Amino acid sequence: MATNMPKFKRKLGMGADGRTNPIVWLIAIICTIIAVAVVIAGIAVFIGYIVIHPRVPIISVTDAHLDFLRNDYAGRLQTQIRIVVTAKNGNAKAHATFSKMTFNISYQGQDIAVLVADPFEVPKNSSKELHYVVQSSSIPLNPDQMEEVTNAWKQNEIEFDFKGAARTQWRVGPLGSVKFLCHLDCDLKFRPLNGSYVPSHCTSKSK
């Protein structure tokens, strides 16, 4: 005679004796190890960033010259400026890559030229100079701007706006790369009578 035997349902995580299944323990241990490894890697990247952050790649105007400046009674301005932009990598342990570098130079809100550069690399603890020659076409000036040029000649000082940005990147060992965005916003001052550049602190800020 067949006997109806009682059937019992076991939870997936429980063994026959009611204890937690060893497989569940193994999965939990593996997940814990992975989580700890991720945290350690994150801390290492953060520490590396803090240590090297004061040496992040920068861009700056290190020299310039006003080759000529001409304006006429009709309110048209012509100029030629030579500008030296230096990309510096102060990190002694990693090469730095500079890309998407773009600058705009203007006078009293009037755009003169847009300067660009192809991506390039700067070796460890080194720098690279970029030489630009800016030649403007005849720029029409309004009465207020014409007066500014006249005053510039009298005071022997003229000022141009120079703004730009570049993306920089270097690697932190085997942990990956760290990226920055450099912003440059400064005034370039010259002596119109001899074209000399008035040095100023024209260096990028990084984010």
Side-chain angles (χ1 to χ4, degrees), residues 10 24 44 71 139 190 192:
R10 278 204 317 263
V24 175
N71 60 300
I139 303 172
F190 299 91

Side-chain angles (χ1 to χ4, degrees), residues 61 64-70 77-83 104-113 134-137 139 141 148-149 152-153 157-163 184-192 195-198 200 202:
V61 175
H65 190 269
L66 180 63
D67 291 340
F68 67 80
L69 180 71
R70 297 173 185 155
L77 178 71
Q78 288 184 305
T79 185
Q80 177 174 300
I81 305 172
R82 283 180 285 139
I83 302 173
N104 181 76
I105 184 167
S106 61
Y107 177 73
Q108 295 293 318
Q110 293 275 17
D111 290 336
I112 295 177
V134 180
Q135 291 181 322
S136 72
S137 56
I139 303 172
L141 302 178
E148 287 291 337
V149 175
W153 281 109
E157 183 176 286
I158 190 167
E159 184 177 290
F160 296 86
D161 296 321
F162 192 72
K163 298 181 180 180
L184 191 67
D185 186 353
C186 52
D187 301 323
L188 302 184
K189 297 180 181 180
F190 299 91
R191 304 296 185 193
S196 61
Y197 171 59
V198 180
S200 62
C202 187

Side-chain angles (χ1 to χ4, degrees), residues 78-168:
Q78 288 184 305
T79 185
Q80 177 174 300
I81 305 172
R82 283 180 285 139
I83 302 173
V84 179
V85 177
T86 301
K88 183 178 181 180
N89 175 26
N91 187 351
K93 297 183 179 181
H95 293 273
T97 301
F98 290 76
S99 61
K100 297 184 178 179
M101 185 176 288
T102 305
F103 304 106
N104 181 76
I105 184 167
S106 61
Y107 177 73
Q108 295 293 318
Q110 293 275 17
D111 290 336
I112 295 177
V114 176
L115 314 177
V116 298
D118 293 328
F120 60 90
E121 190 174 87
V122 177
K124 305 173 185 178
N125 200 26
S126 185
S127 61
K128 177 182 177 65
E129 289 187 348
L130 304 175
H131 294 259
Y132 294 100
V133 178
V134 180
Q135 291 181 322
S136 72
S137 56
S138 184
I139 303 172
L141 302 178
N142 60 40
D144 290 338
Q145 292 168 335
M146 291 172 61
E147 185 176 354
E148 287 291 337
V149 175
T150 301
N151 291 334
W153 281 109
K154 291 179 180 179
Q155 299 171 8
N156 194 26
E157 183 176 286
I158 190 167
E159 184 177 290
F160 296 86
D161 296 321
F162 192 72
K163 298 181 180 180
R167 294 187 180 277
T168 62

